[in-house]
Amino acid sequence: MKLVTNKNNLKGTIKVPGDKSMSHRSIMFGSIAEGTTRIKHFLRADDCMSTIAAFRALGVEIEETPEEIIVYGKGWDALKAPTEAIDIGNSGTTIRLLMGILAGRDFESTLFGDESIAKRPMNRVMLPLNQMGAHCVGSHETEFPPVTVRGTTSLHPISYQMPVSSAQVKSAILFAALQADGETTIIEKKKTRDHSEHMIRQFGGEIFVDDLTIKVKGKQKFTGQTMTVPGDISSAAFFIVAGLIASNSQICLTNVGLNPTRTGIIDVVEQMGGKLTISDASRDTGKLAGTITVETSQLKGVEIGGDLIPRLIDELPVIALLATQAEGITIIKDAAELKVKETNRIDAVVRELTTLGAKIEATDDGMIIYGKTKLHGGKVTSYGDHRIGMMLQVAALIIDDGEVELEKAEAVSVSYPEFFKDIVSLCN
């Protein structure tokens, strides 16, 4: 696919799709709750539709209308054994969180996905779930999908020190803990996105959080809710970067989720000297959505690492692009988790941006980006990774000469089916 190239004067307002993490979890909590859950601004992209399909396979009635998704939940015990293996497509969130739910059900299920999912490690989820009394095993006794989960209604609580900073792993354990006999304690390495914790409370459950320590009691029941999913800041990130690096540009993004565990990219933009304002909300009052406006900026290189990484892990590919247009050196470190995403995002970012003329080096746990560099045309690939594909389209906007041809552009539909259309809408 030939990308839109060499575009300045990006102007307009974008309403980004619903938050992917929250869309997944809304279906999951709605399915285990008792009563009807109505979800507005749901992300109707491939990954989240895989979650809907998975819960339908488990016997949950889910209705789709143009305005909302309606989940007719009947509680934990209404989940039924699937008649065949469940295909979760490209969705790492679906497979990992679903394992936690299935760990407490008294039947056996097998979960599989596409070629990318088959390479993603699952021991990080299987080990704690097996400690709780479930039996999870990967393909041919490995840690890779397909994964078979033989659950039990007699899960026991554990105290678990997280070996990795991962909201997916944490959430899988939380779903299992909610079904266990007693109280489970989870101790995080670093603070990760806390949508699961918020939804436990929203659906009527109880959870105790003290900095990195989380305690949750088992045998909890939930009640169906009505909710509106805010816009996904991970999707907004591509337009934030486009507005900052394309000349004479100003882009407004409405209804963007501002959960503090997800707003690391805003901190980075501010550190780099980017012109970014937030209106219609405040990060200080607990309102978790607002309007973000960005405009073309002179940027400077920074160091990104430590506790900031879990708050922007999915945005790092496009932040790397941003750094190519900043004066000086940007260092991204403590981000080894990028290696086990949809692809090895460290290698993918370095290889593809280098193809377009960037000066960027891979390290064991991140990247070193040398700015400011001019980009040029080339033939690139998304590797089937939606965030790499979208990052490369933003890069194409600022190339000086040539064309950019993207292989596997269809991967973008995993999280943002209308992305290329929205890019075009900003081009004057």
Side-chain angles (χ1 to χ4, degrees):
M1 172 181 175
K2 284 186 170 55
L3 300 182
V4 179
T5 56
N6 195 19
K7 293 292 182 180
N8 300 315
N9 304 302
L10 301 179
K11 309 281 190 199
T13 298
I14 299 289
K15 184 177 181 181
V16 296
D19 185 285
K20 187 154 77 85
S21 295
M22 294 183 69
S23 293
H24 281 302
R25 289 162 173 80
S26 66
I27 296 296
M28 294 177 181
F29 278 99
S31 295
I32 61 177
E34 297 176 1
T36 302
T37 292
R38 296 180 177 273
I39 310 159
K40 301 182 187 300
H41 200 224
F42 180 86
L43 174 61
R44 302 184 194 225
D46 293 354
D47 271 12
C48 297
M49 300 311 290
S50 290
T51 292
I52 287 179
F55 280 90
R56 283 174 171 159
L58 293 169
V60 180
E61 182 184 355
I62 302 175
E63 181 182 352
E64 301 172 49
T65 75
E67 296 79 26
E68 61 186 1
I69 303 293
I70 307 168
V71 184
Y72 298 97
K74 297 181 180 179
W76 293 100
D77 293 338
L79 298 180
K80 298 185 174 76
T83 57
E84 58 187 12
I86 298 175
D87 183 357
I88 55 79
N90 185 249
S91 181
T93 299
T94 305
I95 191 169
R96 287 177 172 146
L97 273 61
L98 188 54
M99 287 167 63
I101 292 173
L102 295 174
R105 300 297 89 210
D106 193 20
F107 53 76
E108 183 174 289
S109 311
T110 297
L111 310 175
F112 72 99
D114 65 10
E115 183 180 349
S116 171
I117 284 293
K119 298 175 183 176
R120 298 186 69 172
M122 295 295 153
N123 262 349
R124 52 184 53 194
V125 176
M126 292 193 293
L127 293 176
L129 295 183
N130 288 345
Q131 286 181 33
M132 298 178 78
H135 182 71
C136 307
V137 62
S139 175
H140 301 100
E141 303 294 324
T142 70
E143 66 167 316
F144 300 102
V147 173
T148 297
V149 181
R150 187 164 70 244
T152 174
T153 53
S154 300
L155 289 177
H156 46 263
I158 59 173
S159 181
Y160 193 71
Q161 184 98 32
M162 293 274 291
V164 294
S165 297
S166 169
Q168 291 180 0
V169 177
K170 175 181 67 176
S171 296
I173 300 170
L174 284 174
F175 274 121
L178 290 167
Q179 304 172 77
D181 297 307
E183 184 177 81
T184 291
T185 299
I186 302 170
I187 302 169
E188 293 197 85
K189 282 187 71 174
K190 294 172 184 165
K191 192 72 174 174
T192 61
R193 63 186 64 175
D194 58 1
H195 298 308
S196 295
E197 294 93 315
H198 279 293
M199 284 201 191
I200 286 173
R201 298 187 186 100
Q202 182 176 0
F203 280 78
E206 295 182 352
I207 186 169
F208 172 81
V209 180
D210 181 15
D211 193 21
L212 299 179
T213 300
I214 303 166
K215 295 181 182 291
V216 61
K217 292 181 180 178
K219 304 302 181 184
Q220 294 200 40
K221 294 183 178 181
F222 299 101
T223 304
Q225 301 292 311
T226 296
M227 61 182 295
T228 300
V229 178
D232 197 327
I233 195 167
S234 293
S235 295
F238 299 98
F239 295 99
I240 290 173
V241 171
L244 292 169
I245 65 177
S247 299
N248 303 312
S249 297
Q250 185 179 66
I251 300 174
C252 182
L253 304 161
T254 62
N255 187 42
V256 179
L258 295 174
N259 182 310
T261 62
R262 297 285 302 282
T263 53
I265 186 171
I266 293 175
D267 295 349
V268 167
V269 169
E270 291 172 345
Q271 290 170 23
M272 296 179 86
K275 297 176 183 177
L276 180 151
T277 59
I278 297 173
S279 56
D280 303 328
S282 169
R283 283 180 281 169
D284 299 324
T285 62
K287 295 179 182 178
L288 299 181
T291 297
I292 296 175
T293 303
V294 293
E295 57 185 281
T296 308
S297 303
Q298 297 296 316
L299 305 167
K300 60 183 180 183
V302 295
E303 184 172 298
I304 304 167
D307 292 343
L308 192 57
I309 294 297
R311 296 177 54 226
L312 47 62
I313 190 71
D314 287 334
E315 292 75 66
L316 282 174
V318 79
I319 288 173
L321 169 63
L322 181 67
T324 70
Q325 303 308 301
E327 296 290 345
I329 298 173
T330 293
I331 297 173
I332 298 173
K333 62 180 185 178
D334 305 320
E337 191 70 11
L338 286 173
K339 295 179 179 180
V340 292
K341 291 291 186 176
E342 282 81 342
T343 187
N344 182 328
R345 285 183 177 162
I346 293 176
D347 289 350
V349 168
V350 170
R351 190 176 296 118
E352 301 313 300
L353 285 181
T354 298
T355 296
L356 297 181
K359 188 178 180 183
I360 178 171
E361 299 174 4
T363 64
D364 287 342
D365 65 349
M367 296 166 249
I368 301 172
I369 305 106
Y370 301 88
K372 180 177 181 180
T373 56
K374 290 185 177 182
L375 303 184
H376 55 67
K379 187 173 182 179
V380 292
T381 179
S382 75
Y383 300 92
D385 186 327
H386 55 127
R387 301 202 195 279
I388 300 297
M390 287 187 279
M391 179 273 288
L392 290 167
Q393 170 58 90
V394 177
L397 294 173
I398 62 166
I399 69 165
D400 284 332
D401 61 86
E403 294 181 331
V404 179
E405 185 173 341
L406 176 64
E407 291 183 349
K408 300 187 177 179
E410 67 279 2
V412 167
S413 66
V414 161
S415 63
Y416 201 153
E418 300 296 312
F419 175 72
F420 295 112
K421 179 181 176 182
D422 283 351
I423 286 285
V424 172
S425 75
L426 296 171
C427 299
N428 297 311

